Amino acid sequence: MPTSALSPAARLRGPRPDWLNNPKVWRTEVLAGLVVALALIPEAISFSIIAGVDPAIGLFASFTMAVTISLVGGRRAMISAATGAVALVIAPLNREHGFGYLVAAVILAGVIQIVLGALGVAKLMRFVPRSVMVGFVNALAILIFMAQVPEMHDVPWPVYPLIIGGLALMVFFPKITTVIPAPLVSIVILTVITVAAGIAVPTVDDKGELPSSLPVPGLPDVPFTMNTLTTIAPYALAMALVGLMESLMTAKLVDDITDTHSSKTRESIGQGIANIVTGFFGGMGGCAMIGQTMINVKVSGARTRLSTFLAGSFLMVLCIVFGPVVSGIPMAALVAVMVMVSFATFDWHSIAPKTLKRMPTGEIAVMVITVSCVVATDNLAIGVVVGSITAMVIFAKRVAHLANVTSVVDPDNATVVYSVTGELFFASSNDLVGQFNYVTDPDRVVIDLSAAHVWDASSVAALDAIETKYAQRGKTVEITGLNDPSADLHGKLTGELASH
């Protein structure tokens, strides 16, 4: 229906969501949410154990994070829940000071994320190179797979054929129909087989007891003093930074997969709101969950906020209403789903021999360093930071060699003109001073910068040093050809940077 045919009230409300207009989209979103909810349960329980809290705390966090972010987040179809990265950050606080301090830190982390989001921290994502992004994707695929390895070690032999069967179902079932997500079919069939045949294998119930009621809001049980604030602040800041890093990287990944744009600023603020809500409901906090997001977007084909909302809602329904049934799901079924996700997530093209032959050595090095750091530390944020810094160093080194100096002496030997080309910044300007012949040059020196750009104070200081060296020999220097930004910077800083 064209916008002009809508009533004023309808136009004010804006366009109806896709899932209200299209039954096919509705079905896809609902089934995707159900698959993600099933996959969230063992993960949330495992992360609760890492954080040293009751399994219900991780499940509550996953519920409140998913439902809240579906309403206030900036990236549609992305799943936020309790995560291992956040659990690792706050585990020492819970161990040393107790659960009340953990909850208080989650709330403070949410406040910090809102502040950082409002300050535009999401804009820093533009400085993450593609090689780091590829390394990030490959590293998370490896981490997803490695997280499944313990579930395949020292287990009854029927686990292995169940995993193989689950993988086969997810590979071949889509050739029959895509109406029902293959992971959901795999989970249901493997559960029916194990229950009907009485096969004794590890189940969801072995991970921990599921909650029997909804979480109740309340304030953290801590003294509201400055001492409490100083205790939780370092953990809250670390959690806020790690959570934002993983969430923004995941949002960028989903942007690429779906070929759509998302508001990273809104997502940053939304993560903060979700953590505050989660803290007041006694949850352990969280951020974007990469594995479950890939299940939702890449495997199940979800594209709207409905799938995220239903993932959190179904999680509680499954725990509270269908707890006994869910508890009987074999872990092999969920392991098979996550293994398939890891293979689907990995960028196999990035390691193809043809690609590696064409890729610059520096780009390959950045990708390998990013992957290595993530796998070594089990922390995606550390890998992204180290990879980005490495990429910047390589870039600076490469650009530094692009600044060249050539000289031409007038026939009368009265003037020498130096032509400087390239980008002048701290890396390239360090070598600039040594490229002039101070002793043998004539009394008048012209430095032509029409093919160069002055970026920073280091470059201005280098130009000042050149003028000083010539002045000590009684020679004059004229700098010409500065473009407007370079002239402004040079005019503000020249003569002000001499050391004392």
Side-chain angles (χ1 to χ4, degrees), residues 470-488:
Y470 277 116
Q472 290 172 347
R473 292 166 175 80
K475 302 175 182 181
T476 61
V477 175
E478 179 184 357
I479 296 176
T480 64
L482 287 168
N483 58 34
D484 290 341
S486 299
D488 288 343

Side-chain angles (χ1 to χ4, degrees), residues 405-476:
V405 179
T406 58
S407 63
V408 177
V409 181
D410 279 356
D412 59 2
N413 203 31
T415 303
V416 60
V417 178
Y418 284 92
S419 294
V420 181
T421 61
E423 309 301 316
L424 299 181
F425 65 112
F426 62 89
S428 60
S429 61
N430 285 335
D431 298 328
L432 190 65
V433 178
Q435 297 190 50
F436 293 81
N437 299 316
Y438 303 101
V439 176
T440 60
D441 279 343
D443 291 342
R444 184 171 181 269
V445 179
V446 177
I447 301 176
D448 181 10
L449 297 177
S450 56
H453 187 99
V454 178
W455 286 103
D456 59 9
S458 297
S459 302
V460 176
L463 293 173
D464 284 355
I466 293 168
E467 290 189 80
T468 299
K469 286 181 178 293
Y470 277 116
Q472 290 172 347
R473 292 166 175 80
K475 302 175 182 181
T476 61

Side-chain angles (χ1 to χ4, degrees), residues 190 239 297 308 403 473:
L190 293 187
M239 176 184 164
V297 175
T308 307
R473 292 166 175 80

Side-chain angles (χ1 to χ4, degrees), residues 140-296:
L140 74 89
I142 293 171
L143 289 185
I144 291 172
F145 181 83
M146 290 176 60
Q148 311 315 309
V149 173
E151 304 297 337
M152 296 183 278
H153 177 68
D154 195 21
V155 292
W157 70 266
V159 167
Y160 303 109
L162 285 172
I163 293 176
I164 294 171
L167 291 171
L169 279 168
M170 284 183 283
V171 170
F172 294 109
F173 186 80
K175 300 182 185 297
I176 302 173
T177 179
T178 57
V179 172
I180 303 176
L184 180 59
V185 173
S186 177
I187 292 170
V188 171
I189 290 178
L190 293 187
T191 302
V192 170
I193 290 174
T194 54
V195 172
I199 302 174
V201 292
T203 64
V204 171
D205 187 51
D206 296 322
K207 285 290 183 180
E209 186 178 350
L210 301 181
S212 57
S213 61
L214 290 171
V216 179
L219 294 174
D221 184 19
V222 294
F224 292 89
T225 62
M226 186 58 67
N227 184 56
T228 298
L229 181 61
T230 56
T231 299
I232 66 174
Y235 297 95
L237 179 60
M239 176 184 164
L241 295 176
V242 169
L244 280 183
M245 177 72 74
E246 293 210 15
S247 298
L248 294 176
M249 290 294 290
T250 305
K252 191 173 187 297
L253 177 60
V254 177
D255 287 354
D256 295 339
I257 292 173
T258 61
D259 196 23
T260 57
H261 177 71
S262 62
S263 172
K264 305 302 186 298
T265 297
R266 178 176 174 180
E267 182 61 36
S268 302
I269 295 173
Q271 288 290 329
I273 295 172
N275 273 305
I276 291 174
V277 171
T278 297
F280 281 120
F281 275 92
M284 56 181 278
C287 61
M289 206 170 191
I290 299 164
Q292 275 62 24
T293 296
M294 291 300 101
I295 293 176
N296 196 46

Side-chain angles (χ1 to χ4, degrees), residues 356-367:
L356 294 176
K357 286 180 181 178
R358 296 178 178 178
M359 190 76 68
T361 304
E363 301 278 320
I364 297 174
V366 170
M367 181 178 70

